[in-house]
Amino acid sequence: MELAIYNIKGEDTGRKAQLNDSVFAIDANEHAVYLDVKQYLANQRQGTHKSKERSEVSGSTRKLHKQKGGGGSRIGDINSPLLVGGGRVFGPRPRDYRFKLNKKVKQLARKSALTYKVQDNQIKVVEDFTFEAPKTKDFVNFAKNLQVEGKKVLVVLAGQDKNLYLSLRNVPNAQIITASDVNTYAIMHSNAILLTESSLDVINNL
C-alpha cells in the first residue's frame, strides 16, 4: 500500500510512502481494539475512591429504641445505612483497576486500529520537519495546510522534538507522540493522524 508524501506546506511532493501491509492492511480484530482501549483507560484510574461504611461513621452505637413493642420498625444505632447520615452499604473501596493483556493482543490491536484509520483515509504521511522556535501559530498554519484544522490531530514523530511539542500543547485536540509510544487509544481517539517519514520506518516494523 502506498500513500502520497506531503511537505509542511501541504503540497504533494510527488513521492510515495510504502505502508507495510502486515501493519496497515490486516484482517482487523475489533475485540482486540476494545480490550486494549479498556486496559489503557483502566490504567489511568487512580482507584482512590472511598466511602464510609457503618463501622466507620462517627456516631453513637446506642440502640435508638427497643427491638419490639414500640409499634415501629426495628432499628439499630444512628449509623445505620437506612438513616440520613449513616454509613453506606457496600460502598467503593480503594482498588487497582489494572489488568493484564498479552503482548500479541496489544500488537494486534495497534495494527487493527491503524488498518481502520487507513481505510477511513485518516492517515497522512509528511516529510520530516521541525520548527525553528516554539510557536503555536506555526502549528496552526501547518494544520491548515494539511486540511486537518479543527480535527483531533495525532502527530507521530520518530523522536522527541521540544519545539514542536511546545508549539501544539495549547492547541485543542492536538497530541504529539513518538512512534515507539504509539498506542491503540491514541490512534482510535484521533480522526487525523500525521506520520513523519522517519516515524513510518518504525511503525512499519510494529
Side-chain angles (χ1 to χ4, degrees), residues 125-143:
V125 180
V126 187
E127 284 183 330
D128 291 341
F129 69 98
T130 187
F131 295 148
E132 294 181 0
K135 279 189 178 180
T136 302
K137 186 177 181 180
D138 287 347
F139 180 79
V140 171
N141 291 333
F142 167 71

Side-chain angles (χ1 to χ4, degrees), residues 6-111:
Y6 296 89
N7 59 24
I8 196 171
K9 296 179 180 178
E11 301 166 341
D12 191 338
T13 62
R15 297 185 295 116
K16 298 287 185 180
Q18 190 68 37
L19 272 59
N20 190 345
D21 286 347
S22 65
V23 176
F24 292 92
I26 68 167
D27 185 10
N29 188 312
E30 187 175 346
H31 189 62
V33 173
Y34 160 75
L35 289 175
D36 201 10
V37 170
K38 181 181 178 182
Q39 188 202 41
Y40 178 87
L41 293 175
N43 290 349
Q44 308 306 306
R45 300 186 67 173
Q46 288 185 335
T48 54
H49 43 32
K50 176 71 173 70
S51 67
K52 290 185 177 181
E53 296 189 355
R54 183 171 188 157
S55 62
E56 299 167 317
V57 174
S58 177
S60 172
T61 57
R62 178 182 66 87
K63 187 170 174 63
L64 293 178
H65 57 72
K66 62 182 183 178
Q67 179 78 350
K68 304 179 74 173
S73 61
R74 300 171 176 84
I75 196 164
D77 56 48
I78 201 171
N79 303 325
S80 170
L82 303 176
L83 299 179
V84 175
R88 181 173 174 183
V89 180
F90 304 129
R93 289 180 173 275
R95 56 167 290 194
D96 185 359
Y97 283 91
R98 291 178 294 182
F99 63 92
K100 182 180 180 297
L101 202 60
N102 291 337
K103 287 182 179 180
K104 287 188 177 180
V105 175
K106 294 175 72 67
Q107 185 182 47
L108 175 61
R110 283 195 300 270
K111 292 180 179 181

Side-chain angles (χ1 to χ4, degrees), residues 88-185:
R88 181 173 174 183
V89 180
F90 304 129
R93 289 180 173 275
R95 56 167 290 194
D96 185 359
Y97 283 91
R98 291 178 294 182
F99 63 92
K100 182 180 180 297
L101 202 60
N102 291 337
K103 287 182 179 180
K104 287 188 177 180
V105 175
K106 294 175 72 67
Q107 185 182 47
L108 175 61
R110 283 195 300 270
K111 292 180 179 181
S112 298
L114 289 169
T115 298
Y116 284 137
K117 292 301 178 180
V118 167
Q119 291 173 352
D120 294 338
N121 297 318
Q122 294 182 359
I123 292 181
K124 288 186 177 181
V125 180
V126 187
E127 284 183 330
D128 291 341
F129 69 98
T130 187
F131 295 148
E132 294 181 0
K135 279 189 178 180
T136 302
K137 186 177 181 180
D138 287 347
F139 180 79
V140 171
N141 291 333
F142 167 71
K144 284 181 181 178
N145 294 337
L146 288 164
Q147 299 178 348
V148 295
E149 185 187 18
K151 295 183 179 180
K152 292 180 179 178
V153 182
L154 177 66
V155 180
V156 184
L157 304 178
Q160 299 288 344
D161 188 322
K162 185 176 181 180
N163 285 347
L164 186 54
Y165 168 74
L166 293 175
S167 297
L168 68 78
R169 68 175 176 176
N170 287 332
V171 178
N173 297 323
Q175 183 183 359
I176 189 169
I177 195 170
T178 59
S180 59
D181 293 331
V182 164
N183 59 77
T184 306
Y185 177 81

